[in-house]
Amino acid sequence: MKGSLCATKEQPMPEALFQIAEPGESPVKGACPPGTTGAVGIDLGTTNSLVAIVRNGVPEALPDDRDGANGEPMLPSVVHYAPGDSGVIVGTAARDDLAAKFPTDTIASAKRFMGRGPDDAEARRTLTPYEFAPAESAEQVVRFRVAGGARTVTPVEVSAEILRVLKERAERALGGTLAGAVITVPAYFDDGQRQATRDAGRIAGLEVLRLLNEPTAAALAYGLDKREDGTTAVGTYAVFDLGGGTFDISILKLEGGVFEVKSTGGDSALGGDDFDRAIAQHLLSRAGVSGDTPSDPMLARRALDAARAAKEALSVADDVRVELERPDGSRAAFLLSRTEMEALVRPILDRCAGPVRRAINDAGLAPSDLSGVILVGGATRMPLVRRFAAELFGREPLADIDPDQVVALGAAIQADLLAGGTAGSDVVLLDVVPLSLGLEMMGGVVEKLIHRNSTIPCGATQIFTTYADKQTGFDLHVVQGERELVADCRSLARFKLAGIPPMPAGMARLEVTFLVDADGILHVTAREENTGIEASVDVKPSYGLSDEQVERMLLDSFAHAEDDVRARLLSEQRVEADRILLAAHAAIAASPELLTEEDRARIDDASARLDEAKKGDDHRAIRSAIEGLDAASKEFAARRMNRAFDEGLRGRRVGDVEAQVEKSAGQQDDLPTRLSRSGHSGHSH
């Protein structure tokens, strides 16, 4: 037998996500534990990563202070796995000295693979010089074959090596064990990608205090909450964040020291790496190498390195000389102009325009309403990107702080605050959920509990009840997306609630709570109130959303809004029709002696009309047929109710009955009120 849930109108308030104290009674943060130093902010980037701290109230990026190091704060996000016991090499040496010689053993841009599966489009992009290994377990995660094929590593492990180096750098600078770290993530990272980032921090031995959205960190670093005269600023800013692997756009409203994210958008697979691929393919073509994907990983790596170097040089020069070694060992040399490079990059850059316009529209604004625009990310150094942003927003953007360091500096401010410091102590950060979260209901429709652009941390609780008799367990299905039907959304997790005693349909009270924490990670709890049986899950999908999926989710939600509503109504009415027919047949089987021939004829005729109507596509016709069956069975239902009352009252005293009625009236508010839409069909256990 299939069991299911029915949504109710009754929605109790969610439990408090934080406590509010009277002025002067708020607890004071203590100092760091003995033996530990302060907390740090880490920008775990696609191309480069940084660690920053707050000294004397001022954030600063920490340079590489190892012997023989270049003293630069930027650590290339490149990891080389040497064969045998030679170990792991991270940073400049891996990028400059080893990547071209050992392309399959040297992993760059691991962030683009975080939270993604082996069949994801990212693993099939052109000019990807890595060797991918099959997943080693039921978890569908990307695995790189490295160290001469002797071992496999995941993007989480690669990122952990980068974080480990940054942790050691910070501990040398501070002279002790870190109290914790704030790690930044793209605002458009989904639950799987955020969980993967947090896991990487734990593997590296870091206490991850918080995952902070990169655009919000950048706004903190700019100090937009303060005017030059020291008073609190008020305004709405756009943060345009185009890095090596991801693009984010966030609209932030600043008022009274509160940074409230009004909307967010972006593309978690769009960035400078895509520029490099387009340029590299062009360079290979100029060098006479045919084919979009060279079979030689070493050639692919050399082409990508040449493209990156040319792109960076053309940010300040009008043309650059490029040399590229062909497969036969000969070398091609030619000039690449900035105009030529920009023509290759512009179609990719244009993909930023859609998310920007949607984010501004979601915030209820026009570009002219913005107080300013902030540029973040290494790709925004390109003159083309700066012109593009100026055209898009109708104003010159702000670029006063190094776009490569601004995110790490903002993370350091937040980390200092969380560790008990005073930097940013008068600032409150309010980020948002990028995509709606909900449950699958009976009939394949989505009941959204938390909507897109809801401020986090946030929560929602809703009461559900059963659709069928004697249901003893449920399979709960958590989904993410903007469409009304489950088939058009993305599955996040499934979990079971078992062991419920069999009850009549509608008697169970299943309280489902969604909580999205400050890191943007979803926690789901389901509890049957009559028995206290509970189950929970931290939503951790095995791989993340692709850029195409995210774009499709949002665009389809707008384009198919009317169709989705019609489909939802049709599904709900079909489910209600099945419930009414089942109840009618059960009542007739239980009390045939109360039926007259006229009753039976009316009910059979109304049932046939309803059965025929639910095969069609008109939800109004189904609703009308349901009402017709209700009317046809009204007299029969009245006879059954009267007999039930007679049997219930037989042999009882009037005073006892009155007391029972009074008690029932006091509990009436606790009874679930079922809506026509019903819950997801879960298997009875």
mmCIF file of all heavy atoms in Angstrom, residues 525-553:
data_model
loop_
_atom_site.group_PDB
_atom_site.id
_atom_site.type_symbol
_atom_site.label_atom_id
_atom_site.label_comp_id
_atom_site.label_asym_id
_atom_site.label_seq_id
_atom_site.Cartn_x
_atom_site.Cartn_y
_atom_site.Cartn_z
ATOM 1 N N THR A 525 14.149 18.211 9.455
ATOM 2 C CA THR A 525 13.695 17.338 10.535
ATOM 3 C C THR A 525 12.219 17.024 10.335
ATOM 4 O O THR A 525 11.434 17.911 10.006
ATOM 5 C CB THR A 525 13.885 17.996 11.914
ATOM 6 O OG1 THR A 525 15.261 18.314 12.099
ATOM 7 C CG2 THR A 525 13.445 17.067 13.030
ATOM 8 N N ALA A 526 11.848 15.763 10.507
ATOM 9 C CA ALA A 526 10.442 15.344 10.438
ATOM 10 C C ALA A 526 10.094 14.646 11.748
ATOM 11 O O ALA A 526 10.824 13.749 12.193
ATOM 12 C CB ALA A 526 10.218 14.408 9.259
ATOM 13 N N ARG A 527 8.970 15.035 12.361
ATOM 14 C CA ARG A 527 8.569 14.476 13.660
ATOM 15 C C ARG A 527 7.072 14.222 13.668
ATOM 16 O O ARG A 527 6.280 15.113 13.352
ATOM 17 C CB ARG A 527 8.947 15.446 14.776
ATOM 18 C CG ARG A 527 8.564 14.977 16.170
ATOM 19 C CD ARG A 527 9.039 15.980 17.211
ATOM 20 N NE ARG A 527 8.690 15.568 18.560
ATOM 21 C CZ ARG A 527 7.540 15.849 19.163
ATOM 22 N NH1 ARG A 527 6.629 16.584 18.513
ATOM 23 N NH2 ARG A 527 7.293 15.430 20.379
ATOM 24 N N GLU A 528 6.684 12.984 14.023
ATOM 25 C CA GLU A 528 5.271 12.654 14.161
ATOM 26 C C GLU A 528 4.867 13.011 15.581
ATOM 27 O O GLU A 528 5.367 12.439 16.557
ATOM 28 C CB GLU A 528 5.036 11.163 13.892
ATOM 29 C CG GLU A 528 3.625 10.834 13.411
ATOM 30 C CD GLU A 528 2.597 11.001 14.520
ATOM 31 O OE1 GLU A 528 2.803 10.411 15.605
ATOM 32 O OE2 GLU A 528 1.592 11.726 14.324
ATOM 33 N N GLU A 529 3.963 13.973 15.741
ATOM 34 C CA GLU A 529 3.698 14.569 17.043
ATOM 35 C C GLU A 529 2.997 13.618 18.008
ATOM 36 O O GLU A 529 3.203 13.703 19.226
ATOM 37 C CB GLU A 529 2.864 15.839 16.873
ATOM 38 C CG GLU A 529 3.616 16.962 16.183
ATOM 39 C CD GLU A 529 2.835 18.261 16.192
ATOM 40 O OE1 GLU A 529 1.601 18.211 16.345
ATOM 41 O OE2 GLU A 529 3.467 19.316 16.043
ATOM 42 N N ASN A 530 2.160 12.719 17.515
ATOM 43 C CA ASN A 530 1.432 11.826 18.416
ATOM 44 C C ASN A 530 2.353 10.825 19.095
ATOM 45 O O ASN A 530 2.113 10.410 20.225
ATOM 46 C CB ASN A 530 0.338 11.076 17.651
ATOM 47 C CG ASN A 530 -0.749 12.009 17.143
ATOM 48 O OD1 ASN A 530 -1.172 12.910 17.850
ATOM 49 N ND2 ASN A 530 -1.178 11.809 15.909
ATOM 50 N N THR A 531 3.411 10.409 18.404
ATOM 51 C CA THR A 531 4.311 9.375 18.929
ATOM 52 C C THR A 531 5.673 9.920 19.331
ATOM 53 O O THR A 531 6.400 9.268 20.081
ATOM 54 C CB THR A 531 4.527 8.283 17.864
ATOM 55 O OG1 THR A 531 5.126 8.883 16.702
ATOM 56 C CG2 THR A 531 3.199 7.650 17.474
ATOM 57 N N GLY A 532 6.032 11.086 18.814
ATOM 58 C CA GLY A 532 7.359 11.629 19.092
ATOM 59 C C GLY A 532 8.456 11.036 18.234
ATOM 60 O O GLY A 532 9.636 11.378 18.388
ATOM 61 N N ILE A 533 8.112 10.159 17.292
ATOM 62 C CA ILE A 533 9.116 9.558 16.407
ATOM 63 C C ILE A 533 9.680 10.642 15.493
ATOM 64 O O ILE A 533 8.941 11.438 14.918
ATOM 65 C CB ILE A 533 8.496 8.415 15.589
ATOM 66 C CG1 ILE A 533 8.075 7.280 16.519
ATOM 67 C CG2 ILE A 533 9.473 7.910 14.536
ATOM 68 C CD1 ILE A 533 7.317 6.171 15.823
ATOM 69 N N GLU A 534 11.005 10.648 15.336
ATOM 70 C CA GLU A 534 11.662 11.741 14.620
ATOM 71 C C GLU A 534 12.753 11.209 13.702
ATOM 72 O O GLU A 534 13.389 10.186 13.989
ATOM 73 C CB GLU A 534 12.267 12.717 15.626
ATOM 74 C CG GLU A 534 12.898 13.958 15.031
ATOM 75 C CD GLU A 534 13.319 14.956 16.096
ATOM 76 O OE1 GLU A 534 12.470 15.326 16.933
ATOM 77 O OE2 GLU A 534 14.493 15.364 16.080
ATOM 78 N N ALA A 535 12.971 11.893 12.597
ATOM 79 C CA ALA A 535 14.081 11.596 11.687
ATOM 80 C C ALA A 535 14.593 12.918 11.146
ATOM 81 O O ALA A 535 13.851 13.902 11.064
ATOM 82 C CB ALA A 535 13.627 10.693 10.540
ATOM 83 N N SER A 536 15.856 12.964 10.806
ATOM 84 C CA SER A 536 16.421 14.216 10.290
ATOM 85 C C SER A 536 17.520 13.906 9.294
ATOM 86 O O SER A 536 18.035 12.784 9.234
ATOM 87 C CB SER A 536 16.990 15.069 11.435
ATOM 88 O OG SER A 536 18.049 14.393 12.075
ATOM 89 N N VAL A 537 17.880 14.918 8.517
ATOM 90 C CA VAL A 537 18.944 14.780 7.534
ATOM 91 C C VAL A 537 19.574 16.141 7.298
ATOM 92 O O VAL A 537 18.880 17.160 7.271
ATOM 93 C CB VAL A 537 18.397 14.195 6.203
ATOM 94 C CG1 VAL A 537 17.382 15.123 5.568
ATOM 95 C CG2 VAL A 537 19.527 13.904 5.214
ATOM 96 N N ASP A 538 20.902 16.171 7.206
ATOM 97 C CA ASP A 538 21.601 17.349 6.714
ATOM 98 C C ASP A 538 21.743 17.150 5.216
ATOM 99 O O ASP A 538 22.405 16.208 4.773
ATOM 100 C CB ASP A 538 22.991 17.491 7.351
ATOM 101 C CG ASP A 538 22.900 17.865 8.817
ATOM 102 O OD1 ASP A 538 21.804 18.230 9.254
ATOM 103 O OD2 ASP A 538 23.919 17.775 9.512
ATOM 104 N N VAL A 539 21.096 17.998 4.440
ATOM 105 C CA VAL A 539 21.045 17.785 3.002
ATOM 106 C C VAL A 539 22.444 17.919 2.417
ATOM 107 O O VAL A 539 23.074 18.972 2.515
ATOM 108 C CB VAL A 539 20.076 18.776 2.334
ATOM 109 C CG1 VAL A 539 20.126 18.631 0.827
ATOM 110 C CG2 VAL A 539 18.666 18.504 2.832
ATOM 111 N N LYS A 540 22.928 16.836 1.840
ATOM 112 C CA LYS A 540 24.280 16.814 1.287
ATOM 113 C C LYS A 540 24.246 16.052 -0.029
ATOM 114 O O LYS A 540 24.566 14.868 -0.080
ATOM 115 C CB LYS A 540 25.257 16.157 2.254
ATOM 116 C CG LYS A 540 26.707 16.262 1.821
ATOM 117 C CD LYS A 540 27.623 15.718 2.893
ATOM 118 C CE LYS A 540 29.070 15.857 2.480
ATOM 119 N NZ LYS A 540 29.989 15.351 3.514
ATOM 120 N N PRO A 541 23.811 16.676 -1.105
ATOM 121 C CA PRO A 541 23.766 15.984 -2.385
ATOM 122 C C PRO A 541 25.148 15.572 -2.829
ATOM 123 O O PRO A 541 26.147 16.166 -2.439
ATOM 124 C CB PRO A 541 23.157 17.025 -3.345
ATOM 125 C CG PRO A 541 23.409 18.333 -2.691
ATOM 126 C CD PRO A 541 23.419 18.078 -1.214
ATOM 127 N N SER A 542 25.217 14.540 -3.664
ATOM 128 C CA SER A 542 26.516 14.003 -4.059
ATOM 129 C C SER A 542 27.200 14.850 -5.111
ATOM 130 O O SER A 542 28.386 14.718 -5.341
ATOM 131 C CB SER A 542 26.339 12.576 -4.592
ATOM 132 O OG SER A 542 25.437 12.564 -5.683
ATOM 133 N N TYR A 543 26.477 15.720 -5.773
ATOM 134 C CA TYR A 543 27.113 16.629 -6.722
ATOM 135 C C TYR A 543 26.249 17.854 -6.884
ATOM 136 O O TYR A 543 25.105 17.878 -6.456
ATOM 137 C CB TYR A 543 27.351 15.959 -8.080
ATOM 138 C CG TYR A 543 26.116 15.387 -8.719
ATOM 139 C CD1 TYR A 543 25.337 16.152 -9.580
ATOM 140 C CD2 TYR A 543 25.720 14.095 -8.453
ATOM 141 C CE1 TYR A 543 24.207 15.636 -10.159
ATOM 142 C CE2 TYR A 543 24.579 13.562 -9.027
ATOM 143 C CZ TYR A 543 23.830 14.334 -9.878
ATOM 144 O OH TYR A 543 22.704 13.820 -10.443
ATOM 145 N N GLY A 544 26.809 18.904 -7.479
ATOM 146 C CA GLY A 544 26.146 20.200 -7.491
ATOM 147 C C GLY A 544 25.381 20.500 -8.764
ATOM 148 O O GLY A 544 25.356 19.724 -9.703
ATOM 149 N N LEU A 545 24.774 21.651 -8.782
ATOM 150 C CA LEU A 545 24.037 22.121 -9.946
ATOM 151 C C LEU A 545 25.004 22.629 -11.007
ATOM 152 O O LEU A 545 25.953 23.334 -10.700
ATOM 153 C CB LEU A 545 23.097 23.260 -9.557
ATOM 154 C CG LEU A 545 21.903 22.916 -8.671
ATOM 155 C CD1 LEU A 545 21.218 24.202 -8.252
ATOM 156 C CD2 LEU A 545 20.946 22.018 -9.394
ATOM 157 N N SER A 546 24.735 22.280 -12.236
ATOM 158 C CA SER A 546 25.521 22.854 -13.322
ATOM 159 C C SER A 546 24.976 24.238 -13.648
ATOM 160 O O SER A 546 23.869 24.605 -13.244
ATOM 161 C CB SER A 546 25.433 21.962 -14.570
ATOM 162 O OG SER A 546 24.113 22.010 -15.101
ATOM 163 N N ASP A 547 25.755 25.017 -14.392
ATOM 164 C CA ASP A 547 25.279 26.343 -14.771
ATOM 165 C C ASP A 547 24.029 26.242 -15.630
ATOM 166 O O ASP A 547 23.113 27.047 -15.521
ATOM 167 C CB ASP A 547 26.381 27.118 -15.508
ATOM 168 C CG ASP A 547 26.948 26.340 -16.684
ATOM 169 O OD1 ASP A 547 26.854 25.092 -16.665
ATOM 170 O OD2 ASP A 547 27.480 26.967 -17.612
ATOM 171 N N GLU A 548 23.968 25.211 -16.493
ATOM 172 C CA GLU A 548 22.793 25.046 -17.337
ATOM 173 C C GLU A 548 21.555 24.745 -16.492
ATOM 174 O O GLU A 548 20.459 25.244 -16.769
ATOM 175 C CB GLU A 548 23.015 23.920 -18.357
ATOM 176 C CG GLU A 548 24.047 24.242 -19.427
ATOM 177 C CD GLU A 548 25.459 23.944 -18.959
ATOM 178 O OE1 GLU A 548 25.620 23.434 -17.817
ATOM 179 O OE2 GLU A 548 26.405 24.215 -19.717
ATOM 180 N N GLN A 549 21.722 23.913 -15.437
ATOM 181 C CA GLN A 549 20.584 23.586 -14.584
ATOM 182 C C GLN A 549 20.068 24.818 -13.849
ATOM 183 O O GLN A 549 18.862 25.035 -13.749
ATOM 184 C CB GLN A 549 20.987 22.513 -13.568
ATOM 185 C CG GLN A 549 21.109 21.115 -14.157
ATOM 186 C CD GLN A 549 21.616 20.142 -13.122
ATOM 187 O OE1 GLN A 549 22.634 20.363 -12.484
ATOM 188 N NE2 GLN A 549 20.904 19.047 -12.949
ATOM 189 N N VAL A 550 20.978 25.619 -13.326
ATOM 190 C CA VAL A 550 20.567 26.814 -12.594
ATOM 191 C C VAL A 550 19.839 27.777 -13.524
ATOM 192 O O VAL A 550 18.779 28.315 -13.200
ATOM 193 C CB VAL A 550 21.786 27.504 -11.948
ATOM 194 C CG1 VAL A 550 21.377 28.851 -11.359
ATOM 195 C CG2 VAL A 550 22.382 26.622 -10.865
ATOM 196 N N GLU A 551 20.420 28.009 -14.696
ATOM 197 C CA GLU A 551 19.779 28.907 -15.655
ATOM 198 C C GLU A 551 18.395 28.388 -16.036
ATOM 199 O O GLU A 551 17.427 29.132 -16.099
ATOM 200 C CB GLU A 551 20.653 29.036 -16.906
ATOM 201 C CG GLU A 551 21.903 29.876 -16.699
ATOM 202 C CD GLU A 551 21.540 31.331 -16.458
ATOM 203 O OE1 GLU A 551 20.874 31.935 -17.291
ATOM 204 O OE2 GLU A 551 21.920 31.849 -15.387
ATOM 205 N N ARG A 552 18.316 27.059 -16.279
ATOM 206 C CA ARG A 552 17.037 26.487 -16.687
ATOM 207 C C ARG A 552 16.000 26.611 -15.579
ATOM 208 O O ARG A 552 14.836 26.920 -15.833
ATOM 209 C CB ARG A 552 17.218 25.007 -17.061
ATOM 210 C CG ARG A 552 15.926 24.310 -17.470
ATOM 211 C CD ARG A 552 16.146 22.852 -17.805
ATOM 212 N NE ARG A 552 16.735 22.146 -16.685
ATOM 213 C CZ ARG A 552 16.037 21.745 -15.615
ATOM 214 N NH1 ARG A 552 14.759 22.008 -15.526
ATOM 215 N NH2 ARG A 552 16.631 21.082 -14.646
ATOM 216 N N MET A 553 16.427 26.378 -14.333
ATOM 217 C CA MET A 553 15.491 26.468 -13.214
ATOM 218 C C MET A 553 14.836 27.841 -13.131
ATOM 219 O O MET A 553 13.628 27.964 -12.958
ATOM 220 C CB MET A 553 16.209 26.162 -11.898
ATOM 221 C CG MET A 553 16.442 24.694 -11.639
ATOM 222 S SD MET A 553 17.221 24.466 -10.023
ATOM 223 C CE MET A 553 17.227 22.690 -9.921
#
